[in-house]
């Protein structure tokens, strides 16, 4: 007995709702994104380390409300900003 034309050796034809559009590759980031992220990371680390120098501590000790902790806070803000930039890098 001949096989009917609508059979495909046990394979079913994919339906319209089962087919997905091909995934598009995201566009690469501009050149300044990784550069800015790296600069912010290095600058943040430098600010944190410079905050432990006695001349810097003498300057920042009178700044309310954080006192001598201003370089530490500013350095960590720069580091977090650097990580934020680098997570957007493609």
């Amino acid at each position: 007995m001949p096989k009917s034309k609508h059979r495909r050796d046990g394979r079913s034809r994919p339906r319209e709702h089962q087919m997905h559009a091909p995934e598009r590759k995201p566009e690469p980031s501009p050149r300044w994104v990784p550069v800015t992220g790296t600069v912010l990371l290095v600058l943040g680390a430098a600010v944190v380390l410079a905050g432990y120098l006695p001349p810097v501590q003498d300057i920042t000790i009178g700044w309310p409300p954080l006192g001598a902790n201003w370089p530490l806070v500013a350095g960590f803000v720069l580091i977090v900003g650097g990580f934020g930039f680098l997570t957007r890098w493609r």
Side-chain angles (χ1 to χ4, degrees), residues 17-62:
H17 69 278
Q18 294 172 333
M19 296 174 53
H20 299 288
E23 293 184 22
R24 294 189 314 168
K25 189 175 181 181
E27 295 182 16
S29 298
R31 189 78 158 149
W32 60 269
V33 172
V35 172
T36 305
T38 306
V39 166
L40 286 175
L41 285 177
V42 171
L43 186 62
V47 169
V48 169
L49 293 175
Y52 288 106
L53 297 175
V56 175
Q57 286 180 345
D58 292 341
I59 294 171
T60 60
I61 196 123

Side-chain angles (χ1 to χ4, degrees), residues 48-83:
V48 169
L49 293 175
Y52 288 106
L53 297 175
V56 175
Q57 286 180 345
D58 292 341
I59 294 171
T60 60
I61 196 123
W63 294 358
L66 296 177
N69 292 329
W70 276 106
L72 187 65
V73 172
F76 278 119
V77 166
L78 289 172
I79 289 172
V80 168
F83 277 122

